[in-house]
């Protein structure tokens, strides 16, 4: 059907029909006139509605069916419209009756086309037989109940027979098209059902009209509304719903559909039974009226048609039985060709029949197994499960519920005595007889393949050792056992293995890994799990309870095993060492944390130079996490400009003048101040100190250059890091910063600590000499605490030395520190260097430094580090104001 796009069509049709019917009834006209008026109006409404709906359809077949229904409605209304005039003719059957019958026939054709595709072959013959039986049975019931007495009292039997021809014709048409509409397995469209209702209403109306004619009466108004009401329904149905019938719900049980189909197929027999009962009751109560030959002929025809119907049913049953045998044979052959063993057995496991495939698969002759029990060939451990499955299927069959099939996995004994894994599917046999159809497949090859895949999944292809996935799973299993607190994990990394791949290739590197795996396997205990973690890393899980010393002894043994003798690779000897980390399980540690701890300890051993064992401590992980977080935050801080520069003034102690400022970096992370000692180390380790130092250099040079442009002759002092000095184009970076800011090179002093002069001294001194050639001044920071000697002062043209705060802090309290400070000041004077004292915090320190002749100083007593705007006012302060803390 189409959707109700224009509701005015069915509403108008219904309104016109109802108004016409009511007007005819109220007017007091004869029943024939009322029927004619109501029929014409409602049939016209149905015809108009069907024609309009058919014009909107895409399905040509259904559009054709609806046009037939519309044409039939028009023809029928023409017949019923002229019937009141034609009834006055001297003929029993008038022209109006013929037109009405033609319209009914057209409606029957449209009804058949509205339903499913027409049946063919045996199905067509069955439907015709059922239609005839239904029509004949209804005719017998009507004859015995209504028509017989009237026919016997009629004056002219011929006229009476002709009068009843019209309803008989309508009855036959309704019974013929009914099977095409009603059965559940066909698409019974609502329009088809409505048209079938019209046929039934017309048949009933014609029967009442024929009875009235034979009796010489007019039809009762009670029955006049049947056909018009049916036509009104037919007019409204095409506009009432979606264009297609909704699909059957997927949850419908096949048994429900079969039961419904069986009930519909039993309708002809039911009507025959009702007709038989009616005839018997009429015979007992006083006999059957009318010519007995008619009733006998109809009954005989019913018997004949039922015999034909039975013959057709027998043919179909035989065909279905042949198909069943063919299906069983094909299923058996298919199973045998697929390598399955097919057999029939009862619920006790007794073999009734078995295919020849059992000899190919398991080596048994079929005749030797028939009569035996399947449990004799199944592994004893699998027998209880199979017995339980068979018992459950037996109970389901008695209760007539459940799927009627099950799948079991078991081991079957072959004729050579080996147990082979198998999968069996047991289903209820279609023939019943308490038998099961069992198909068994040997899955030995699949199990072998599955085992191989599992091995490859959890083992390393180069060394043959368990891989990372297996090690992690095994660690989880061991820690889940009671008393797993003494479990330990050892991580081992081959030092220098990357150079092996670079020198002799990855194939030779893989060969070396295989040698290392064999050495390590021989060194660990039999109960321990050795795995290749990845790359050149190996892991050992000490599953048996061990004490700390035993685990450390094993770790040291692994180090000796690797480094005891060189590996022979590509016709050369390769000497390697190992870094090993050990971690012990705690009560609340997870497997992932335990493995991570061992990895952290191994990384710590590698950082300390390798060829050593490190035991995990909690601070190691905290340090690693802190470094990672700081590294990420430092990188983000550089991008988001979270750093700031503060300046600590350097004062000429003799003239009270600010001569320079030392630039110090500050970091505010999330609103909290981070001390420099916490982030400068990680910045140095990660290399972020290089871009950070370059930023400090550019910003501080720009700021000091601006002060000097205001006639404030001050200098700038900056600390250098080892990474910064060794960075590519370091000297060019300093030169570019000076050029961009306009700061004279002589106003810039770069400070280095003594350790930097000792480590890679030649390269460091070369770089610093290039800076000195630019005119930049150099200073040794924290002088007296490192490893520098006077020789370095001779090799490197230093302009300044800065006394470490640890010496200044003891002035006036520690005679030794006071003497050392005085010696450093005198040494600086003798070498012509500027001496700067750091960490001046007390007035007595300031007085002693003045007395010693120290030229410059800095510290909290002089001035705390401050922002650039705070330096302006301090530069105008006299030394007399420095007696109190800033």
């Amino acid at each position: 059907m189409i959707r109700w796009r224009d509701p005015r069509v069915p509403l108008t049709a219904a309104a016109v029909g109802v108004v016409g019917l009511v007007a005819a009834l109220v007017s007091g006209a004869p029943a024939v006139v009322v029927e004619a008026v109501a029929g014409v109006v409602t049939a016209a409404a149905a015809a108009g509605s069907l024609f309009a709906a058919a014009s909107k359809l895409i399905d040509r077949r259904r559009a054709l069916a609806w046009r037939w229904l519309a044409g039939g409605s028009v023809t029928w209304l023409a017949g019923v419209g002229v019937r009141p005039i034609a009834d006055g003719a001297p003929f029993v059957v008038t022209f109006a009756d013929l037109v009405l019958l033609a319209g009914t026939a057209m409606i029957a054709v449209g009804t058949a086309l509205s339903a499913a595709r027409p049946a063919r072959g045996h199905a067509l013959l069955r439907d015709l037989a059922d239609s005839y039986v239904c029509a004949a049975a209804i005719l017998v019931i009507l004859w015995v109940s209504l028509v017989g007495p009237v026919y016997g009292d009629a004056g002219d039997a011929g006229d009476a027979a002709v009068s009843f021809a019209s309803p008989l014709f309508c009855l036959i048409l309704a019974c013929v098209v009914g099977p095409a509409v009603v059965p559940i397995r066909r698409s019974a469209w609502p329009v088809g059902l409505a048209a079938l209702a019209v046929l039934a209403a017309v048949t009933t109306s014609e029967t009442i009209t024929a009875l009235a004619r034979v009796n010489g009466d007019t039809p009762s108004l009670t029955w006049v509304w049947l056909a018009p009401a049916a036509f009104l329904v037919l007019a409204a149905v095409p506009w009432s719903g979606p264009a297609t019938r909704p699909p059957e719900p997927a949850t419908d049980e096949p048994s429900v559909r079969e039961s419904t189909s069986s009930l519909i197929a039993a309708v002809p027999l039911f009507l025959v039974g009702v007709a038989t009962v009616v005839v018997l009751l009429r015979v007992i109560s006083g006999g059957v009226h009318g010519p007995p030959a008619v009733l006998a002929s109809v009954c005989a025809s019913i018997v004949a048609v039922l015999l034909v119907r039975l013959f057709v049913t027998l043919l179909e049953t035989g065909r279905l039985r042949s198909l069943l045998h063919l299906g069983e044979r094909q299923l058996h052959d298919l199973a045998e060709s697929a390598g399955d063993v097919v057999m029939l057995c009862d619920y006790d496991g007794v073999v009734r029949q078995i295919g020849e495939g059992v000899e190919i698969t398991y080596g048994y002759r079929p005749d030797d197994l028939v009569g035996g029990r399947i449990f004799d060939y199944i592994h004893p451990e699998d027998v209880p499960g199979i017995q339980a499955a068979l018992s459950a299927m037996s109970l389901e069959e008695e209760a007539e519920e459940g799927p009627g099939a099950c799948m079991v996995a078991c081991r079957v004994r072959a004729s050579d005595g080996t147990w082979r894994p198998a999968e069996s599917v047991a289903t209820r046999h279609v023939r019943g007889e308490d038998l099961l159809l069992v198909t068994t497949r040997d899955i030995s090859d699949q199990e072998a393949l599955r085992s191989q895949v599992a091995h490859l999944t959890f083992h390393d292809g180069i060394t043959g050792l368990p891989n990372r996935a297996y090690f992690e799973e095994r660690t989880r299993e061991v820690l889940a056992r009671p008393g797993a607190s003494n479990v330990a994990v050892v991580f081992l990394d081959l030092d220098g293995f990357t150079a092996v791949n670079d020198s002799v290739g990855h194939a030779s590197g893989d060969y070396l890994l295989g040698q290392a795996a064999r050495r390590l396997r021989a060194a660990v205990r039999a109960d321990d799990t050795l795995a290749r973690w990845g790359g050149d890393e190996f892991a050992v899980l000490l599953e048996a309870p061990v004490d700390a010393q035993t685990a450390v002894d094993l770790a040291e043994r692994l180090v000796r095993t690797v480094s005891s003798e060189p590996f022979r690779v590509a016709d050369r000897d390769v000497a390697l060492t190992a870094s090993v980390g050990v971690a012990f399980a705690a009560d609340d540690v997870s497997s992932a944390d335990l493995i991570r701890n061992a990895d952290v300890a191994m990384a710590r051993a590698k950082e300390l130079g390798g060829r050593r064992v490190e035991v995990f401590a909690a601070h190691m992980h905290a340090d690693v996490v802190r470094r990672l977080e700081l590294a990420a935050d430092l990188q983000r801080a550089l991008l988001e400009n979270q750093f700031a520069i503060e300046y600590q003034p350097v004062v000429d102690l003799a003239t009270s003048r600010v001569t320079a400022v030392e630039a110090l970096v500050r970091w505010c992370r999330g609103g909290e101040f981070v001390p420099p000692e916490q982030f400068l180390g990680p910045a140095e380790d990660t290399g972020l100190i290089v871009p950070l130092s370059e930023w400090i250099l550019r910003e501080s040079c720009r700021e000091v250059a601006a002060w000097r442009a205001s006639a404030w002759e001050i200098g700038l002092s900056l600390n250098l890091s080892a990474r910064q000095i060794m960075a590519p184009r370091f000297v060019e970076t300093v030169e570019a910063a000076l050029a961009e800011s306009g700061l004279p090179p002589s106003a810039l002093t770069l400070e280095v600590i003594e350790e930097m002069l000792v480590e890679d001294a030649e390269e460091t001194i070369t770089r610093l000499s290039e800076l000195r050639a630019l005119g930049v001044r150099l200073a040794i920071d924290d002088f007296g605490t490192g490893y520098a000697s006077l020789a370095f002062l001779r090799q490197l043209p230093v302009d300044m030395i800065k006394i470490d705060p640890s010496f200044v802090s003891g002035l006036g309290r520690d005679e030794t520190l006071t003497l050392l400070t005085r010696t450093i000041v005198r040494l600086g004077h003798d070498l012509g260097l500027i001496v700067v004292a750091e960490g001046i915090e007390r007035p007595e320190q300031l007085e002693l430094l003045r007395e010693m002749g120290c030229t410059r100083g800095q510290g909290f007593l002089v001035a705390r580090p401050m922002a650039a705007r705070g330096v302006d006012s301090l530069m105008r302060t006299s030394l007399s104001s420095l007696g109190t803390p800033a």
Side-chain angles (χ1 to χ4, degrees), residues 59-361:
D59 189 344
R60 294 182 178 180
R61 176 183 174 85
R62 292 172 58 200
L64 178 62
W66 291 10
R67 290 190 179 96
W68 271 95
L69 291 174
S73 300
V74 172
T75 306
W76 187 88
L77 73 87
V80 78
V82 300
R83 173 176 280 182
I85 302 174
D87 281 348
F91 303 102
V92 177
V93 177
T94 64
F95 172 76
D97 294 332
L98 296 178
V99 175
L100 188 146
L101 291 178
T104 304
M106 294 175 68
I107 293 174
V109 173
T111 303
L113 292 176
S114 296
R117 300 291 179 181
R120 298 177 181 177
H122 290 165
L124 177 59
L125 186 59
R126 181 188 65 241
D127 289 349
L128 290 177
D130 289 346
S131 300
Y132 181 81
V133 169
C134 290
I138 294 174
L139 177 60
V140 169
I141 296 172
L142 293 176
W143 181 270
V144 174
S145 303
L146 300 174
V147 180
V150 174
Y151 187 86
D153 297 338
D156 190 343
D159 292 345
V162 173
S163 299
F164 285 108
S166 176
L168 178 60
F169 178 73
C170 295
L171 175 62
I172 293 174
L173 290 178
C175 291
V176 168
V177 300
V181 178
V182 176
I184 189 172
R185 292 189 178 180
R186 298 176 180 175
S187 301
W189 306 102
V191 170
L193 292 176
L196 184 62
V198 169
L199 289 176
V202 169
T203 301
T204 304
S205 177
E206 288 300 301
T207 302
I208 301 301
T209 301
L211 288 173
R213 284 180 176 178
V214 173
N215 288 330
D217 299 330
T218 58
S220 173
L221 288 175
T222 306
W223 303 98
V224 166
W225 59 270
L226 284 178
F231 275 108
L232 282 179
V233 173
L234 183 60
V237 165
W239 307 87
S240 61
T244 58
R245 184 187 181 188
E248 294 292 337
T251 56
D252 284 352
E253 295 291 339
S255 58
V256 175
R257 295 196 298 268
E258 293 173 0
S259 300
T260 306
S261 181
S262 300
L263 289 175
I264 295 175
V267 170
L269 297 179
F270 173 75
L271 292 176
V272 170
V274 173
T276 303
V277 172
V278 170
V279 171
L280 290 176
L281 293 176
R282 177 60 68 178
V283 170
I284 294 173
S285 63
V288 178
H289 299 279
V294 175
L295 185 60
S297 299
V298 174
C299 293
S301 67
I302 291 176
V303 174
V305 173
L306 286 177
L307 289 176
V308 174
R309 179 72 169 83
L310 178 61
F311 177 72
V312 173
T313 303
L314 291 176
L315 289 179
E316 291 183 348
T317 302
R319 183 174 63 86
L320 292 177
R321 187 178 292 109
S322 300
L323 292 176
L324 178 61
H325 285 294
L326 177 61
E328 289 182 358
R329 183 70 261 171
Q330 290 177 343
L331 178 62
H332 186 276
D333 294 342
L334 178 62
E336 292 285 351
S337 64
D340 294 349
V341 178
V342 182
M343 65 178 173
L344 290 177
C345 68
D346 57 22
Y347 287 99
D348 294 327
V350 178
V351 179
R352 302 291 183 84
Q353 183 180 345
I354 193 167
E356 297 178 357
V358 68
E359 186 171 3
I360 300 174
T361 305

Side-chain angles (χ1 to χ4, degrees), residues 559-582:
V559 174
R560 291 192 300 270
T561 298
V562 172
S563 58
S564 59
E565 58 179 312
F567 294 90
R568 187 68 179 174
V569 180
D571 296 331
R572 67 179 68 179
D573 291 334
V574 177
L576 295 178
T577 60
S579 300
V580 180
V582 183

